[in-house]
Amino acid sequence: MSPTDLAAPSSLRPNRLWALGILVLLEAALVVSWSAGFIGVRFASDHAPIFLILFWRSLVSGLVLLPFALALGPRMRGRDIAFQMLLGALAMAGYLSGFALAIGLGVPTGLVALITDMLPLAVAFLSWPILGQALTGRQWIGSFIGLAGVLIASGWSLEVGHVPLWAYGLPVLGTLSLALATLLQKRSPVNAMPVYQSLCIQCLSAAAIFAVPAWHEGGVLPVLDRGFIGGILWLVFVATFGAWSLYYLALRKSSPARVTAVLYLSPPVTMVWAWLMFGEPLSWAMAGGLVVSLAGILIVAKSQAPARP
């Protein structure tokens, strides 16, 4: 055996450590950008009505992507566009309005992030009526644990806040809307589009929907205010383009299970971020509920990996 052969294993270690370090930095950036959507809405809500914020976030995102969607192709068929418009109504308009309205009504931003991060539970509940897949015993246990965590985390905020009780159901409805879009996409025979095309159509479709309530709130013209403009740019380039780009890049570098697990870190990051920026409540009850809820989500997520036939 030559000296070169002996040195080979030790020379690979720095490369592996470097790759691991890059992956950890990528995942950290993903968590921050994912949390940035909740923080951006909370920041912009001090400068403009919620639906005006959502309208301009969706419109600007769609218009930025439109040249790429048209120039890079492939050619878009009518039924593909129609299906993406449906997904835009559910995954964009339904989901974004659910959590954004809750934040605008005063529900703590970190708690909204926790509720919306329970997407695996919503997918599990809707899988039976849509895909015919009943929940397993493990999924039921995980679902109840996750729900208990949310109740623990939200109990304290209900005591200290002046938010109507029904407002806490808005992010739940938004999460169910996103889960429905996820399951419809899974069972759809329509061919998948490139991300820049599907995201473009979904954003423009959501903008058309948001334009109606924004008009009733006072109009669709932008607010000429630094806070509003900065908030929209933040939501477009950090929370939309940044988060989605990092998400797909992380999927290429790692496994879907690891990426999903990493995203479960976004609620605590959002809670601390909202506490530092806006002085929102942060208590041991919220932290304890977060831990309980994430444990339930992990149980459900791990049980949703059946072997492919």
Side-chain angles (χ1 to χ4, degrees):
M1 183 178 292
S2 66
T4 304
D5 294 332
L6 291 173
S10 60
S11 64
L12 290 176
R13 292 176 184 174
N15 292 333
R16 290 177 179 175
L17 290 175
W18 176 258
L20 179 60
I22 294 297
L23 179 60
V24 170
L25 289 176
L26 174 64
E27 292 171 341
L30 174 60
V31 171
V32 172
S33 62
W34 207 263
S35 304
F38 303 100
I39 298 300
V41 169
R42 172 62 181 84
F43 175 80
S45 65
D46 290 336
H47 303 273
I50 289 296
F51 282 112
L52 186 65
I53 296 168
L54 296 178
F55 169 72
W56 279 101
R57 170 187 177 165
S58 303
L59 181 63
V60 174
S61 298
L63 291 178
V64 170
L65 289 172
L66 186 58
F68 300 96
L70 296 176
L72 299 181
R75 183 179 179 182
M76 294 179 284
R77 297 179 300 176
R79 66 170 185 169
D80 296 328
I81 295 174
F83 183 66
Q84 292 301 326
M85 291 174 66
L86 173 62
L87 295 182
L90 294 171
M92 288 282 181
Y95 172 67
L96 291 178
S97 59
F99 85 74
L101 282 172
I103 292 174
L105 289 169
V107 179
T109 309
L111 180 59
V112 172
L114 173 59
I115 295 173
T116 56
D117 210 39
M118 297 180 73
L119 180 63
L121 307 188
V123 170
F125 276 118
L126 293 178
S127 291
W128 179 74
I130 296 178
L131 300 180
Q133 299 174 354
L135 269 69
T136 64
R138 185 174 181 178
Q139 287 176 324
W140 278 113
I141 293 173
S143 299
F144 283 120
I145 292 175
L147 179 61
V150 171
L151 294 177
I152 293 171
S154 60
W156 187 81
S157 63
L158 284 170
E159 294 176 2
V160 302
H162 302 284
V163 182
L165 185 61
W166 56 267
Y168 290 83
L170 292 174
V172 177
L173 293 176
T175 303
L176 289 173
S177 181
L178 179 58
L180 178 59
T182 301
L183 293 174
L184 288 177
Q185 188 170 19
K186 183 176 181 179
R187 65 172 295 180
S188 173
V190 177
N191 293 329
M193 280 185 175
V195 177
Y196 54 84
Q197 283 187 335
S198 60
L199 194 58
C200 173
I201 297 172
Q202 291 180 27
C203 287
L204 293 178
S205 302
I209 295 173
F210 289 138
V212 177
W215 180 268
H216 285 286
E217 282 183 337
V220 296
L221 294 178
V223 178
L224 299 180
D225 177 87
R226 289 184 179 180
F228 175 79
I229 296 173
I232 295 300
L233 293 177
W234 175 271
L235 287 170
V236 170
F237 292 100
V238 179
T240 301
F241 297 155
W244 280 101
S245 299
L246 289 169
Y247 176 74
Y248 285 107
L249 183 59
L251 285 176
R252 291 183 180 181
K253 299 289 185 181
S254 183
S255 66
R258 178 178 173 120
V259 175
T260 304
V262 165
L263 286 180
Y264 296 152
L265 296 174
S266 63
V269 171
T270 305
M271 287 182 180
V272 174
W273 201 344
W275 173 62
L276 291 173
M277 283 192 65
F278 311 113
E280 292 195 357
L282 189 64
S283 69
W284 287 111
M286 293 179 71
L290 174 69
V291 173
V292 173
S293 180
L294 294 185
I297 292 174
L298 287 174
I299 291 173
V300 174
K302 288 184 178 180
S303 64
Q304 283 185 318
R308 291 185 178 272

